[in-house]
Amino acid sequence: MAGDLAIEIRKPRVLIVEARFYEDIADALFEGAKAIIEASDFEYDRIDVPGALELPAAIRFAMNRKGDKAYDGFVALGCVIRGETAHFDVVVNESARGLQQLAIEHQLCIGNGIITVENEEQAWDRARKDRQDKGGQAALAAVAMIGLKQLFSA
């Protein structure tokens, strides 16, 4: 019967990828991202990588997921604190470049929540939900880009 026809609409699905080098800060960034994703009525999966340089590769691995488990967007979370060497600049620049390259070349919706700071105090200020909430802002960016992509795909 026509009245029995049920159409199931898939909720948008986001992959949250966390660099776990600073675990407590990563957890704080995740809390902000999770709140936005859940408030948007999206589904999400959560994975971790060792550091910020691995974030683009993990997203690239996951972007080919198909069917109901495909990802509509990604949230990259991590923290890079300046040290005594130029390694900070490499990590900051290359992780951001990798995410931007993926977004442009593969038309991915990515919220960049990699915070780059001088010290741990600045990191906590940016990570906490009740402060700057950079994890939440990254999730909000991903949600907004998913909506924009849907608008232009319609």
Side-chain angles (χ1 to χ4, degrees):
M1 296 174 125
D4 294 336
L5 182 62
I7 298 174
E8 189 172 322
I9 298 175
R10 183 179 73 83
K11 289 182 181 182
R13 184 183 226 44
V14 173
L15 178 63
I16 300 171
V17 185
E18 298 175 81
R20 300 292 300 171
F21 193 82
Y22 298 102
E23 290 189 4
D24 292 344
I25 294 168
D27 288 340
L29 288 166
F30 170 73
E31 288 305 316
K34 176 183 166 190
I36 295 296
I37 299 296
E38 288 178 346
S40 300
D41 199 29
F42 283 21
E43 294 180 351
Y44 71 90
D45 293 320
R46 178 184 183 188
I47 63 167
D48 59 75
V49 296
L53 282 175
E54 290 77 33
L55 290 165
I59 290 171
R60 181 64 177 96
F61 299 154
M63 70 177 252
N64 293 323
R65 201 166 179 191
K66 303 292 184 214
D68 289 342
K69 298 293 184 181
Y71 294 111
D72 299 288
F74 302 88
V75 179
L77 302 175
C79 175
V80 184
I81 299 176
R82 185 180 299 280
E84 297 177 2
T85 68
H87 185 66
F88 172 89
D89 297 313
V90 171
V91 174
V92 168
N93 292 329
E94 290 303 308
S95 60
R97 183 195 57 77
L99 294 177
Q100 189 66 15
Q101 184 176 353
L102 284 170
I104 292 169
E105 289 182 10
H106 299 284
Q107 299 178 20
L108 299 182
C109 303
I110 301 175
N112 183 346
I114 304 172
I115 57 175
T116 56
V117 297
E118 298 295 323
N119 54 54
E120 194 171 334
E121 181 182 342
Q122 290 178 352
W124 282 112
D125 184 53
R126 286 161 177 75
R128 287 192 174 111
K129 242 174 76 169
D130 62 345
R131 299 296 308 244
Q132 293 188 36
D133 192 19
K134 295 299 183 179
Q137 289 178 18
L140 197 57
V143 167
M145 293 305 289
I146 290 166
L148 190 61
K149 185 175 182 179
Q150 290 172 345
L151 174 70
F152 286 114
S153 296

